[in-house]
Amino acid sequence: LDSWQGSWLAELRDVTVLFVNLTGIKIRRGCDVDVAELQQVLCVMQRVIFDHEGMVRQFLADDKGTVLIAVFLAHEDSPVRGVKTALEIHQRLDELRVTNTVGVTTGKTFCGSVGSEARREYAMVGDIVNLSARLMVAAIKQQVGILCDRITMRACGQRFDFTTLKPIHVKGKADPIPIFIPRIRARRNTLAA
């Protein structure tokens, strides 16, 4: 990238995107922020993401809310890694008493360097990125912790249990979107009594 030959990095990739909304942490102008708590929460999420070989794309904290964006893009089982990460992050933040919601989506998106010679950053641009953000917000309205799309649910196969909810309308989509709540698969007792 230093030699400005990074244009080859831009491509359409199959990715799984997570948007994590920290509804329990509000950043407001003129208000004190517990920076130690914010750092602890970020470190918890970062560790879980890295444990499943994902990447933190961005961490935003402003008057609109506190959101972490993560991506899984280098594995055939990225949807499984994304759902495992969402479940683990949600549980760990609940243990810290930080209210949170997560949106998880899978599909093709543009990944690459955007910007100018003066300032560039790695970005993900596409429909599934927007949908992940919409599902994160919808999880608040549905009063559930995690929502995922149909592609993610199907890609996970039998690895998790999913509860199907009524499809929802989201900005930017003409048709309702099927949504699912992932859960850790219940262990079945295979021993005969």
Side-chain angles (χ1 to χ4, degrees), residues 139-189:
I140 298 168
K141 295 174 185 172
Q142 298 280 332
Q143 298 181 346
V144 299
I146 305 167
L147 288 176
C148 69
D149 66 343
R150 178 180 283 156
I151 294 171
T152 303
M153 184 270 298
R154 286 184 175 164
C156 288
Q158 300 298 313
R159 300 287 299 267
F160 305 98
D161 289 327
F162 291 90
T163 301
T164 303
L165 298 180
K166 182 179 175 185
I168 59 170
H169 288 278
V170 297
K171 182 179 174 182
K173 297 283 188 181
D175 297 322
I177 302 297
I179 55 174
F180 307 87
I181 303 171
R183 290 191 169 65
I184 295 172
R185 192 161 194 73
R187 293 181 187 208
R188 302 194 190 335
N189 187 355

Side-chain angles (χ1 to χ4, degrees), residues 39-108:
Q39 179 67 22
Q40 177 188 22
V41 168
L42 177 58
C43 287
V44 164
M45 292 188 295
Q46 195 172 34
R47 174 58 30 221
V48 174
I49 292 162
F50 291 168
D51 284 350
H52 295 289
E53 299 180 359
M55 177 183 91
V56 173
R57 161 61 186 99
Q58 199 167 29
F59 184 65
L60 308 163
D62 60 23
D63 60 341
K64 293 181 183 174
T66 308
V67 175
L68 177 129
I69 305 168
V71 62
F72 294 83
L73 49 75
H75 309 282
E76 287 184 23
D77 66 343
S78 286
V80 171
R81 290 170 189 259
V83 170
K84 278 184 182 178
T85 300
L87 290 164
E88 204 170 315
I89 284 175
H90 185 67
Q91 177 186 347
R92 297 283 308 276
L93 294 181
D94 278 354
E95 291 167 1
L96 293 172
R97 292 183 167 80
V98 175
T99 309
N100 65 94
T101 60
V102 186
V104 185
T105 56
T106 300
K108 281 210 183 302

Side-chain angles (χ1 to χ4, degrees), residues 108-122:
K108 281 210 183 302
T109 192
F110 168 84
C111 297
S113 177
V114 295
S116 66
E117 290 184 15
R119 183 179 185 281
R120 292 181 191 219
E121 67 177 331
Y122 187 78

